[in-house]
Amino acid sequence: MTLELLSSNKCFGGWNKRYRHRSRTLDCEMVFGIYLPPQAVRGAKLPVVYWLSGLTCTDENFMHKAGAQRLAAELGLVLVTPDTSPRGPGVPDDPEGAWDFGLGAGFYVDATQHPWAQHYRMHDYVVRELPALIEAEFPVSELRAISGHSMGGHGAMVCALRNPGRYRSVSAFAPIGNPISSPWGEKAFTHLLGDDHATWKPWDACALIAATRGKDCERLPILVDQGEDDEFVDLQLKPEVLRASAETSGYPLTLRRQPGYDHSYYFVASFIEDHLRYHAQHLAQPSA
């Protein structure tokens, strides 16, 4: 697979780079960002933290705003930031031109409905195609963690819950925890997955957590931070529904409510160190 280097900037002794490539999964060109800390520059194979951004974002928001590179350099973590959606002249967008669906709002599911199914397969891209590319082209190991914000927090939890053993750790900032009962999720899932709500549950973190109840299966602990002054908390994000689902199922969820914080990247930047140290700890543990 051909990688086109778009930009390269030295940062805390490592390199922040952006690449374009042709995605077979999404049937379009995609751009991703990668931070290679100094240890990777020297040839060490390092673990990877995949970051999934939220509605309207691109691969650049996290790299520009979260302030994560300094600590990634200290901890020896590679950061990878895919885009939030397929893009391009042939990729369908919201028919009404709204910001909460379409380009920039792929919701990290694999669409089944026309015309979305040809391109909107972000789950498969994030879980399989992109890691295979990263592991083939860069000095990284097969140790992976995943995190994200808002729509990306939903995506991170779903990727981990649907793919046991794929990731060593998972965390989220202000995730859309129960998208099947969120206006954002309802709109996107209707377009991408159809009207049958039964087909939505495999893409909902609360439903996936509930499905583990009484089963002998891997229960990867989830760390979630939620700002108490987040304007979307009650209508769209529903952290208490996520908490209740975890408590009912006995699932290991740590949900921290952070007073005064909103939904912005100021919130993400304030707690990204906690999350990266959390991932580094799990990535350093020996395999089970």
Side-chain angles (χ1 to χ4, degrees):
M1 186 178 295
T2 302
L3 286 176
E4 178 189 356
L5 179 63
L6 301 178
S7 64
S8 181
N9 302 94
K10 194 165 187 179
C11 184
F12 293 103
W15 290 91
N16 219 87
K17 298 174 181 283
R18 294 183 76 219
Y19 290 92
R20 179 184 290 119
H21 75 107
R22 178 78 186 181
S23 167
R24 292 185 296 272
T25 301
L26 303 177
D27 192 24
C28 64
E29 290 191 336
M30 290 294 287
V31 174
F32 66 87
I34 185 168
Y35 176 67
L36 297 165
Q39 300 91 325
V41 176
R42 294 193 291 266
K45 284 200 167 188
L46 302 177
V48 181
V49 178
Y50 290 87
W51 173 268
L52 308 184
S53 287
L55 291 164
T56 75
C57 291
T58 70
D59 63 287
E60 293 189 284
N61 292 73
F62 178 79
M63 293 298 198
H64 287 178
K65 297 180 179 181
Q69 291 92 334
R70 177 193 60 79
L71 192 62
E74 175 189 323
L75 297 174
L77 298 174
V78 173
L79 306 176
V80 173
T81 58
D83 203 346
T84 52
S85 171
R87 300 181 192 267
V91 177
D93 198 0
D94 187 293
E96 298 177 356
W99 62 271
D100 58 356
F101 178 67
L103 303 185
F107 268 82
Y108 304 103
V109 306
D110 289 341
T112 59
Q113 303 300 301
H114 179 77
W116 318 102
Q118 180 181 352
H119 299 287
Y120 284 78
R121 301 186 57 81
M122 285 297 295
H123 180 83
D124 194 16
Y125 174 75
V126 166
V127 171
R128 295 178 181 84
E129 184 181 13
L130 184 59
L133 173 62
I134 297 298
E135 289 162 21
E137 299 291 337
F138 298 96
V140 304
S141 70
E142 294 184 355
L143 300 178
R144 311 174 195 94
I146 193 164
S147 186
H149 173 234
S150 193
M151 178 185 72
H154 139 75
M157 293 191 297
V158 168
C159 286
L161 289 163
R162 284 175 60 100
N163 299 275
R166 185 77 174 160
Y167 303 97
R168 288 290 190 90
S169 54
V170 56
S171 73
F173 291 79
I176 305 173
N178 187 213
I180 62 176
S181 64
S182 156
W184 283 340
E186 290 173 2
K187 176 179 179 179
F189 285 11
T190 299
H191 281 297
L192 299 171
L193 304 172
D195 295 325
D196 183 358
H197 288 206
T199 67
W200 297 6
K201 288 186 178 181
W203 302 103
D204 182 282
C206 288
L208 290 167
I209 286 172
T212 69
R213 185 178 183 182
K215 293 183 178 179
D216 183 16
C217 59
E218 179 191 35
R219 292 187 168 201
L220 194 64
I222 301 174
L223 170 64
V224 172
D225 273 308
Q226 174 63 61
E228 289 191 349
D229 283 13
D230 190 320
E231 62 269 40
F232 304 116
V233 63
D234 294 323
L235 180 63
Q236 303 286 6
L237 308 179
K238 302 184 182 294
E240 293 311 316
V241 179
L242 182 66
R243 185 199 298 275
S245 179
E247 289 176 350
T248 300
S249 304
Y251 197 95
L253 169 74
T254 300
L255 174 59
R256 310 191 305 186
R257 300 291 294 252
Q258 303 293 358
Y261 288 91
D262 59 18
H263 197 70
S264 71
Y265 263 88
Y266 295 110
F267 164 57
V268 174
S270 298
F271 297 99
I272 192 62
E273 179 169 350
D274 288 358
H275 285 242
L276 289 183
R277 291 194 183 280
Y278 172 81
H279 291 301
Q281 178 183 358
H282 286 274
L283 289 163
Q285 293 174 355
S287 299

